Amino acid sequence: MEKKMNCMKQAEFVSSIESSPEPLATLSTELQSLWWLKKGDWNKAHDLAQDAGTKQGDWVHAHLHRVEGDLGNADYWYSRAGKPVCRDELSKEWHEITAELFLT
């Protein structure tokens, strides 16, 4: 699987959610998923996270199930991602995941 490079900075990524109709294709699948979530398309975000096939994708997938309110399913995906179960405010976790993805 080809790894996409994140060619923008985190602040540009966040501002692009309001200013662009879709995420840059050069963003990783995981970041595209988080982008679509903030844009309001949970289903598209979920499809991307589910198809990512990475631990980071599993982490995003866990977050999406928290947003959905399916905490049992979220717990499963946190386990697959090797991450502790998060119960922080959703927007805080979204920013934490995004920040980590920009570092990798």
Side-chain angles (χ1 to χ4, degrees), residues 20-39:
S20 300
E22 58 186 50
L24 287 176
T26 56
L27 289 172
S28 68
T29 301
E30 298 84 359
L31 282 170
Q32 287 183 42
S33 174
L34 291 169
W35 191 97
W36 282 111
L37 176 62
K38 281 293 186 188
K39 196 71 166 179

Side-chain angles (χ1 to χ4, degrees), residues 48-102:
L48 286 165
Q50 187 165 284
D51 293 343
T54 63
K55 291 228 180 246
Q56 293 94 348
D58 291 346
W59 189 18
V60 173
H61 199 162
H63 177 74
L64 288 163
H65 283 293
R66 279 193 64 217
V67 169
E68 179 188 34
D70 187 351
L71 300 182
N73 203 356
D75 291 353
Y76 168 78
W77 288 101
Y78 281 116
S79 175
R80 283 195 46 151
K83 297 287 185 182
V85 173
C86 182
R87 297 293 184 242
D88 291 340
E89 180 183 72
L90 290 168
S91 64
K92 180 180 179 190
E93 184 185 29
W94 184 92
H95 284 284
E96 289 173 359
I97 297 170
T98 303
E100 187 166 317
L101 290 175
F102 271 96

